[in-house]
Amino acid sequence: MISMDAALYANLERCPTYASFFGAMGCACAITLTTLGAAYGTAKSSGAIFSSGILRPDRLMQNTICAIMAQILSIYGLVISVIMTGSIKEKMTVYTAFMQLGAGISVGLCGMAAGFAIGIVGDAGVRASTQQPRLYVGMVLILIFSEVLGLYGVIVSILMLTRSNLDVTECV
């Protein structure tokens, strides 16, 4: 019977061949979920932008802020995905891979929630500010609060990604 070195056994246990799959899934979750949120926010608010543009065409460009803010969410997912792809390797620790998965899910779900909030607020806010222009500043403030939800996910993801490579086993 061949005895395995303890260090080699620990390395095999901490660096399985499937670990990089979870890192790649984190990367995919980051971009996919944030893009879903951005698409929903853009689509929902764009209906209100165009229908309000019939009544007040002079306010059309001013009301596009909702769609612009929704698209920023997909940039959050793209940034985290690009950061993650730099550290996805064939041999990586399970700890690093799961931290990357968690980071991707964090930014993805926060971006999706922010996109839903921006879409709903943008739809109602554009319609209301078309009828009463003084409501525009309130709409913009609520849109900013909705956008910050996505930014919280980015911050948590960056914290998780910086922790994912500290004091981990080196895979051989």
Side-chain angles (χ1 to χ4, degrees), residues 59 62 129 133-144:
R59 295 180 56 89
Q62 186 178 14
S129 69
R134 291 189 299 182
L135 294 174
Y136 183 77
V137 173
M139 177 190 74
V140 171
L141 284 173
I142 296 170
L143 283 170
I144 290 169

Side-chain angles (χ1 to χ4, degrees), residues 22-38:
F22 292 104
M25 286 306 295
C27 189
C29 285
I31 192 65
T32 306
L33 295 175
T34 54
T35 304
L36 275 172

Side-chain angles (χ1 to χ4, degrees), residues 1-168:
M1 180 165 196
I2 301 172
S3 67
M4 219 188 261
D5 184 39
L8 179 64
Y9 182 72
N11 199 328
L12 286 175
E13 188 176 276
R14 291 187 180 121
C15 305
T17 56
Y18 59 82
S20 58
F21 170 78
F22 292 104
M25 286 306 295
C27 189
C29 285
I31 192 65
T32 306
L33 295 175
T34 54
T35 304
L36 275 172
Y40 179 83
T42 301
K44 183 91 167 136
S45 62
S46 293
I49 291 167
F50 290 125
S51 65
S52 296
I54 296 169
L55 299 173
R56 299 280 306 265
D58 56 314
R59 295 180 56 89
L60 184 70
M61 291 309 291
Q62 186 178 14
N63 287 332
T64 58
I65 190 168
C66 309
I68 293 167
M69 289 182 79
Q71 289 304 309
I72 293 170
L73 298 172
S74 59
I75 294 171
Y76 293 162
L78 179 67
V79 166
I80 294 301
S81 293
V82 167
I83 291 172
M84 264 192 253
T85 55
S87 61
I88 295 176
K89 299 176 281 214
E90 181 182 1
K91 293 291 280 181
M92 58 191 295
T93 63
V94 173
Y95 173 77
T96 301
F98 283 158
M99 289 293 273
Q100 289 175 345
L101 177 64
I105 290 173
S106 171
V107 73
L109 290 178
C110 286
M112 192 165 63
F116 287 177
I118 288 171
I120 293 167
V121 169
D123 182 32
V126 166
R127 293 177 196 276
S129 69
T130 298
Q131 292 177 7
Q132 177 54 262
R134 291 189 299 182
L135 294 174
Y136 183 77
V137 173
M139 177 190 74
V140 171
L141 284 173
I142 296 170
L143 283 170
I144 290 169
F145 294 145
S146 300
E147 181 77 30
V148 167
L149 299 174
L151 193 58
Y152 293 155
V154 172
I155 292 168
V156 169
S157 291
I158 290 173
L159 289 173
M160 290 177 79
L161 289 174
T162 56
R163 283 288 303 147
S164 70
N165 293 319
L166 295 177
D167 302 327
V168 293

